[in-house]
Structures are given as structure tokens and as C-alpha cells.
Amino acid sequence: MARVVVDVMLKPEILDPQGQAVANALPRLGVSDVSSVRIGRRIEIEFAGEPDLDTAREIADKLLANPVIEDFSIRVDEPAGDAARMSA
């Protein structure tokens, strides 16, 4: 099974109040060296066969992202055994 990851982020010129709220809260945690935080979404699409990046791009463009205020990137996700993963 092939997985394609779509990352959706607000365009840089769009205000991100959620990211600002996180950035403003960091000093209370003792973190003072972060200058900016942006919040986005990660969407995973699993294909039955080979990953179809053209189809994933169409899904992202027409359904997952608002092209007026958001940008997106697409990549094929590596199997869990090939790369070390960090989890919370």
C-alpha cells in the first residue's frame, strides 16, 4: 500500500492567529528562542497500488486546500521501517 502525504499551510502573507497563540504561549514554557510558529494540516492518502501523485495533486487542489489562502506540498511517505519516526 502506498501513502502520499499532503501538507497544507496558510500562505506566508495570511495571518495565522493559531500559530501566533502558540508562539505567545512558548515563553510560559521557558522557550524564548522561537520567533514564529505556523500551524498547518497533514493529510495522508493511501493508494491500493502505486502512489499516483497526479491524482493526489488534483485531490489537494480541488478538495483539501483553499488555493486563495493556502499552499500545499505532496510527497510519497516512506515505509515506517525505512526511517526512524518520532512520536509524542
Side-chain angles (χ1 to χ4, degrees):
M1 199 172 321
R3 178 179 297 153
V4 174
V5 175
V6 180
D7 292 308
V8 180
M9 296 291 295
L10 287 171
K11 291 184 176 184
E13 61 271 15
I14 302 297
L15 181 67
D16 183 359
Q18 191 176 13
Q20 285 182 332
V22 170
N24 291 339
L26 290 176
R28 290 191 297 264
L29 298 175
V31 179
S32 60
D33 58 346
V34 174
S35 61
S36 177
V37 176
R38 305 284 290 174
I39 304 292
R41 296 188 311 277
R42 172 187 164 118
I43 299 102
E44 297 179 357
I45 304 170
E46 291 190 3
F47 288 91
E50 290 298 311
D52 186 339
L53 295 179
D54 290 331
T55 299
R57 185 170 281 101
E58 184 177 2
I59 292 168
D61 189 46
K62 293 183 177 178
L63 184 63
L64 302 177
N66 178 346
V68 174
I69 63 169
E70 295 173 317
D71 291 325
F72 64 87
S73 63
I74 298 173
R75 62 185 167 81
V76 176
D77 194 30
E78 298 297 324
D82 289 353
R85 291 185 177 234
M86 188 172 91
S87 61

